Amino acid sequence: MSGYTVVFAIISESQKPGLHLPFFAKVVLKSVYARLREWGYGNVMLAKIECDPMVALTKKVKPKKPRKKRVIKKAA
């Protein structure tokens, strides 16, 4: 399996160089990296995909209204 390369590509809006991830994301990636290495994948990489600042969402999604809870009527 050493002929394969596994790439984790992270989309980031940050213009800063490098990739800044939350602590628990780093913990999970480190765990997955270790597992893939155990399985024989020699090349495991992390890549940053920068977002074009000119690209904007054209449709805003409204949050759904919460569902009403059912009221169970007890028999008298």
Side-chain angles (χ1 to χ4, degrees):
M1 297 230 198
S2 61
Y4 292 97
T5 300
V6 177
V7 179
F8 290 98
I10 309 294
I11 299 172
S12 175
E13 293 178 351
S14 174
Q15 299 301 320
K16 296 177 184 178
L19 185 60
H20 305 284
L21 295 173
F23 173 75
F24 288 108
K26 291 177 185 178
V27 171
V28 169
L29 281 173
K30 188 174 180 179
S31 171
V32 171
Y33 171 78
R35 177 83 42 102
L36 287 170
R37 294 295 300 233
E38 287 174 6
W39 290 343
Y41 289 94
N43 298 322
V44 181
M45 299 179 179
L46 184 63
K48 176 182 176 182
I49 300 175
E50 293 182 11
C51 290
D52 185 354
M54 297 309 231
V55 176
L57 294 175
T58 56
K59 181 179 178 183
K60 292 188 178 182
V61 178
K62 294 181 182 178
K64 291 183 178 182
K65 293 180 182 177
R67 295 177 67 181
K68 293 181 180 178
K69 292 185 178 180
R70 287 186 180 179
V71 178
I72 300 174
K73 295 181 180 179
K74 295 181 180 179

